Structure formats: structure tokens, C-alpha cells
């Protein structure tokens, strides 16, 4: 297993042979059957189930706010709503029962949109930690929840650390944003968690820039496209 790449983020279906080249694979749970997950685990790959903690792509529900994410169209949610808590924990338990080895917790940056939801979000993360048991839990950013967040997770992903997608294509962040991200990254090792970067690029030069910069901060870097369709 030592020869496997650390992690991949793939939001399509299938591609089991390629996914088995990674130690962990973050996947959309509705795209994988229990027998596929069993094959991944048998080949040494831990499948992690994607969960959104503050946005809902589903049909209208009482926990949804009127506002929507302009990039993906999902509804922002009231994280304190008990129905949302039940819904997300149910998703997590179903994924673990189906054969996922752990969870990937996305949309944690509510400090930028609804800061009043931060304590409710932290309680949801703690409940998901319990649902995952000894399984691996990876958080996407979630910097506004630190240091408390670190008690409930095994790793942090710094999504879009160096490069991003925009309406006009892919490119590096402006210098001031890169500096801000660097300051955050310099602080993360004190939490003693696994650290990863995920960047978006469509040229070898931009991909190399992202990988080299992440390596300076001790983070293995995954480079993909906006749809996370690459393995």
C-alpha cells in the first residue's frame, strides 16, 4: 500500500481500476454500489463519502434558506434546523453501511455567509465523527471552526490553495490571496492533522505551480478540473 498516491477527488462514477491507485478516494456516495466499495477496500483504497454540511442540492425542504450558492445552485441551509441534522447524519450512516471507510465534510465555510451557524456546524461535525466511528474524517477548509474542529477530524483539505477556476478559465490566485492562504497553511501543522491541497488547473505549467507551492507547506496536492472529473 506504500506505493499508492495519497488521495484523489473524483465526482464521477466507475473508474475502479484507476481509483485503486490511491490510498483514499473521495467519491459521491450515490454513484457507487456496495460491491464496488468492497473492491476498492480490498485493493487497499479507503473510499470517503462526500457530504455537504451547509448547502442542499435536494428538493425544497424546511431547512433551506432562500439564498442559493451562485456557483452550483444549491440552497444554503439553516444548520441549526433539527431536520437538517437528521438528514445529514442519515446520509453519513447510509454511506458507512454501504461500505465507505470514512467521510469528507464539505461546505464548512459558513463564517463567510452565516457566521451565526458556526456553533451548530461544529455540533454537526461532532455528530458525524461519532457516526464515522473509527473511520477517516477529512474536512474541507473549515478554518473558522478551528481549533475545535481539529478534535473531530483526521485531516484538512485546503481546496483551491494556489489555483482556481473562474468564468474565464483557470489561473493562480492574486498575490494578496496567495499570501493569506500561506499564513493559514503555516498555522495548520500545529493541529497534527493530515494536510492536503486541491487545486484547479488546465495547463502543465499551472499544475506544476500548484504542486510545487503546496509542497513548500508539506501538503500533497491533487490537481483537477472544476467538475473533479479526473482520476
Amino acid at each position: 500500500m506504500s506505493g499508492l498516491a495519497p488521495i484523489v477527488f473524483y465526482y464521477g462514477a466507475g473508474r475502479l481500476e484507476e481509483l485503486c491507485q490511491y490510498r483514499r478516494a473521495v467519491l459521491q456516495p450515490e454513484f457507487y454500489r456496495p460491491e464496488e466499495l468492497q473492491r476498492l477496500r480490498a485493493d487497499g483504497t479507503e473510499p470517503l463519502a462526500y457530504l455537504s454540511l451547509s448547502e442542499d442540492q435536494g428538493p425544497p425542504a424546511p431547512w433551506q434558506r432562500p439564498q442559493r450558492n451562485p456557483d452550483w445552485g444549491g440552497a444554503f441551509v439553516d444548520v441549526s434546523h433539527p431536520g437538517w441534522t437528521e438528514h445529514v447524519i442519515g446520509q453519513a450512516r447510509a454511506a458507512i453501511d454501504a461500505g465507505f471507510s470514512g467521510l469528507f465534510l464539505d461546505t464548512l465555510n459558513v463564517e463567510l455567509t452565516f457566521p451565526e451557524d458556526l456553533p451548530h456546524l461544529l455540533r454537526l461535525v461532532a455528530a458525524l465523527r461519532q457516526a464515522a466511528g473509527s473511520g477517516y474524517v477529512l474536512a474541507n477548509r473549515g478554518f473558522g471552526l478551528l481549533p475545535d474542529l481539529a478534535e473531530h477530524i483526521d485531516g484538512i483539505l485546503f481546496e483551491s490553495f494556489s489555483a482556481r477556476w473562474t468564468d474565464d478559465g483557470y489561473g493562480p490566485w492574486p498575490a494578496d490571496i496567495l499570501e493569506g492562504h500561506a499564513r493559514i497553511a503555516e498555522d495548520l501543522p500545529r493541529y497534527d492533522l493530515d494536510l492536503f491541497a486541491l487545486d484547479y488547473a488546465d495547463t502543465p505549467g499551472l499544475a506544476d505551480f500548484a504542486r510545487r507551492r503546496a509542497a513548500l507547506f508539506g501538503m500533497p496536492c491533487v490537481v483537477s478540473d472544476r467538475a473533479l472529473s479526473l482520476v
Side-chain angles (χ1 to χ4, degrees), residues 143 146 150 154 156 158 161 181-196 214-219:
F143 306 133
L146 291 170
D154 301 292
I156 287 181
F158 202 138
F161 178 56
H181 286 181
R183 287 193 294 271
I184 295 172
E186 288 171 345
D187 187 58
L188 292 178
R190 71 186 179 102
Y191 298 109
D192 195 28
L193 299 166
D194 295 336
L195 302 176
F196 308 95
L216 294 175
F217 296 89
M219 295 186 291

Side-chain angles (χ1 to χ4, degrees), residues 122-187:
L122 188 63
R123 282 194 289 271
L124 179 55
V125 170
L128 291 168
R129 168 79 272 176
Q130 289 189 328
S134 60
Y136 194 90
V137 178
L138 178 64
N140 188 4
R141 291 181 169 237
F143 306 133
L145 297 170
L146 291 170
D148 296 327
L149 175 66
E151 301 175 11
H152 307 294
I153 61 176
D154 301 292
I156 287 181
L157 172 71
F158 202 138
E159 183 182 9
S160 198
F161 178 56
S162 302
R164 58 179 175 157
W165 50 262
T166 71
D167 291 339
D168 300 319
Y170 298 81
W173 283 103
D176 59 332
I177 301 295
L178 291 174
E179 291 172 6
H181 286 181
R183 287 193 294 271
I184 295 172
E186 288 171 345
D187 187 58

Side-chain angles (χ1 to χ4, degrees), residues 1-217:
M1 197 159 123
S2 59
L4 300 180
I7 197 167
V8 65
F9 298 81
Y10 175 60
Y11 289 178
R15 308 288 295 275
L16 298 185
E17 186 173 341
E18 294 95 331
L19 293 172
C20 287
Q21 300 173 20
Y22 298 89
R23 185 180 178 194
R24 296 187 177 94
V26 174
L27 307 170
Q28 297 288 332
E30 63 268 28
F31 292 161
Y32 287 86
R33 303 185 305 275
E35 55 268 29
E36 293 176 304
L37 299 172
Q38 195 279 329
R39 177 186 166 186
L40 290 175
R41 297 196 316 274
D43 286 341
T45 299
E46 296 181 22
L48 306 182
Y50 174 96
L51 290 176
S52 175
L53 271 59
S54 71
E55 296 176 22
D56 186 9
Q57 296 285 345
W63 51 75
Q64 294 180 0
R65 299 180 188 266
Q67 301 93 330
R68 291 190 169 267
N69 183 314
D71 291 321
W72 302 109
F76 293 116
V77 305
D78 176 0
V79 181
S80 70
H81 195 289
W84 176 246
T85 299
E86 181 180 356
H87 175 70
V88 175
I89 293 175
Q91 288 181 316
R93 288 175 175 161
I96 297 297
D97 289 346
F100 277 91
S101 302
L103 306 172
F104 174 62
L105 312 183
D106 196 23
T107 67
L108 296 178
N109 284 359
V110 298
E111 75 273 12
L112 305 177
T113 49
F114 303 101
E116 67 275 14
D117 278 355
L118 281 171
H120 308 294
L121 186 58
L122 188 63
R123 282 194 289 271
L124 179 55
V125 170
L128 291 168
R129 168 79 272 176
Q130 289 189 328
S134 60
Y136 194 90
V137 178
L138 178 64
N140 188 4
R141 291 181 169 237
F143 306 133
L145 297 170
L146 291 170
D148 296 327
L149 175 66
E151 301 175 11
H152 307 294
I153 61 176
D154 301 292
I156 287 181
L157 172 71
F158 202 138
E159 183 182 9
S160 198
F161 178 56
S162 302
R164 58 179 175 157
W165 50 262
T166 71
D167 291 339
D168 300 319
Y170 298 81
W173 283 103
D176 59 332
I177 301 295
L178 291 174
E179 291 172 6
H181 286 181
R183 287 193 294 271
I184 295 172
E186 288 171 345
D187 187 58
L188 292 178
R190 71 186 179 102
Y191 298 109
D192 195 28
L193 299 166
D194 295 336
L195 302 176
F196 308 95
L198 170 63
D199 281 298
Y200 301 97
D202 60 350
T203 65
L206 184 58
D208 183 61
F209 164 72
R211 292 190 182 102
R212 286 188 290 105
R213 186 166 177 273
L216 294 175
F217 296 89

